[in-house]
Amino acid sequence: ALVGLNEMLKRQEATFKERCISQRQELEEKLRSLQSGEDDEQTRRMLEIERLYDTDLSKHKKLRGLLAKKNLQIARVQRSIDAIPTRAELLQYQRRFVELYELVSHKLVETRK
């Protein structure tokens, strides 16, 4: 579930970046037209576009922060899963404990003789 959410956030981030890049290009074109002396309507539109760009940029930063938090959560969960021994490891521990028990009991028998 966390991995799916992480992938979704990555896709949203990629589409957001593409949209921001296209808006930036549009804004740069508008800026060039403004510098060439267009009318006040163009200026109002440019200011609106700049405002939209700023809001989208803040959304992008917020999404990046959320993605970073999710990545940390995923890493934490993976570490906790890795801390649990597998069935094979448990069997190996059991075999080793049995071997050690047999060695100690054999040594005890020999010391009692």
Side-chain angles (χ1 to χ4, degrees):
L2 289 176
V3 174
L5 182 60
N6 187 21
E7 294 299 322
M8 182 184 69
L9 288 174
K10 284 182 182 179
R11 284 192 303 270
Q12 286 178 352
E13 181 182 1
T15 57
F16 180 75
K17 282 183 181 180
E18 292 172 6
R19 192 168 33 131
C20 285
I21 289 172
S22 66
Q23 284 182 354
R24 181 178 181 200
Q25 291 171 350
E26 291 173 12
L27 291 174
E28 288 173 350
E29 290 174 13
K30 299 288 183 180
L31 181 62
R32 282 192 290 274
S33 68
L34 285 173
Q35 289 172 347
S36 67
E38 295 290 324
D39 60 0
D40 286 334
E41 178 64 30
Q42 289 285 11
T43 305
R44 282 195 298 272
R45 289 186 70 215
M46 183 65 180
L47 291 174
E48 177 66 20
I49 290 172
E50 286 178 4
R51 187 186 60 78
L52 289 173
Y53 177 75
D54 290 339
T55 57
D56 284 347
L57 191 60
S58 66
K59 286 180 188 177
H60 177 260
K61 287 180 182 178
K62 183 190 270 186
L63 285 175
R64 284 185 62 93
L66 288 172
L67 181 63
K69 285 181 184 178
K70 287 298 175 185
N71 283 336
L72 288 175
Q73 288 175 349
I74 288 171
R76 198 174 304 123
V77 169
Q78 284 177 338
R79 282 194 301 273
S80 67
I81 288 173
D82 290 341
I84 300 171
T86 62
R87 186 176 299 271
E89 289 173 328
L90 290 173
L91 289 173
Q92 188 177 11
Y93 293 149
Q94 183 183 13
R95 269 189 249 115
R96 185 62 182 146
F97 283 132
V98 168
E99 289 174 9
L100 290 173
Y101 177 75
E102 289 172 356
L103 283 174
V104 169
S105 66
H106 181 68
K107 191 84 158 179
L108 180 63
V109 168
E110 284 190 10
T111 54
R112 285 187 179 167
K113 286 184 183 179

